[in-house]
Amino acid sequence: MSIKKTVPFLLFIFTTIAISGCNEKSAFTDDALSLLETEVFYRQRIALPEGAVLEVRLEDVSKMDVASELIASATREIKSAPPYALQIAFPTEAIKDNHRYRLRAMIKVDGKLSFISTTHIDPFAVGIATPIEIKVDQVGQ
């Protein structure tokens, strides 16, 4: 099937899913989801205060000069020392062969950004280890 024929077909499918997804059930079945296992860490020898929250995002960064598109994210409250394990479930069909993706992690304390990842991590790169390690750096005070 050619790209020109595939795009309208996919638009029809996504529109159908969006319309049928107005009820409380998920538009995706368990079979249509994939998991990424991540492990977030930082090098500073500090303990984070109570209420710190970790978020890891899977983003499509294929388009230049445009904000990245969020594919999926996961959050958890931090209650221990690093590393922090976190799984991200995402719709398998959202991943396209000709697109570029990255994982981004951030830690917020009282709603303010405290740590963020600063390197590009392609979760679908050949040979990437599982869990995917993400180093976050402290944001300037």
Side-chain angles (χ1 to χ4, degrees):
M1 188 180 283
S2 73
I3 298 271
K4 289 182 179 179
K5 292 180 181 177
T6 305
V7 171
F9 176 73
L10 290 175
L11 287 173
F12 171 76
I13 295 297
F14 286 127
T15 304
T16 303
I17 290 171
I19 291 170
S20 66
C22 291
N23 61 20
E24 292 183 25
K25 293 185 178 183
S26 172
F28 299 103
T29 65
D30 290 340
D31 296 337
L33 294 178
S34 294
L35 280 179
L36 288 175
E37 294 185 33
T38 66
E39 199 168 78
V40 178
F41 68 97
Y42 54 84
R43 299 220 185 268
Q44 290 80 355
R45 294 182 173 259
I46 60 172
L48 293 173
E50 192 173 315
V53 176
L54 167 66
E55 179 181 14
V56 178
R57 300 167 57 103
L58 173 61
E59 300 172 334
D60 184 337
V61 292
S62 301
K63 298 176 184 173
M64 304 229 354
D65 299 328
V66 177
S68 59
E69 178 186 338
L70 178 65
I71 303 296
S73 68
T75 59
R76 74 169 257 205
E77 188 173 342
I78 296 173
K79 296 183 179 184
S80 63
Y84 309 112
L86 194 59
Q87 290 184 334
I88 301 173
F90 63 94
T92 306
E93 63 191 36
I95 305 305
K96 310 293 183 228
D97 288 339
N98 60 344
H99 285 216
R100 292 180 37 234
Y101 300 93
R102 78 166 172 208
L103 285 173
R104 184 165 47 162
M106 59 191 82
I107 298 174
K108 293 182 180 180
V109 177
D110 296 327
K112 295 181 182 176
L113 187 63
S114 293
F115 289 84
I116 192 164
S117 56
T118 57
T119 58
H120 177 84
I121 299 172
D122 179 355
F124 307 113
V126 175
I128 195 157
T130 301
I132 301 169
E133 293 183 346
I134 305 173
K135 180 181 168 276
V136 291
D137 296 310
Q138 194 167 19
V139 174
Q141 299 297 326

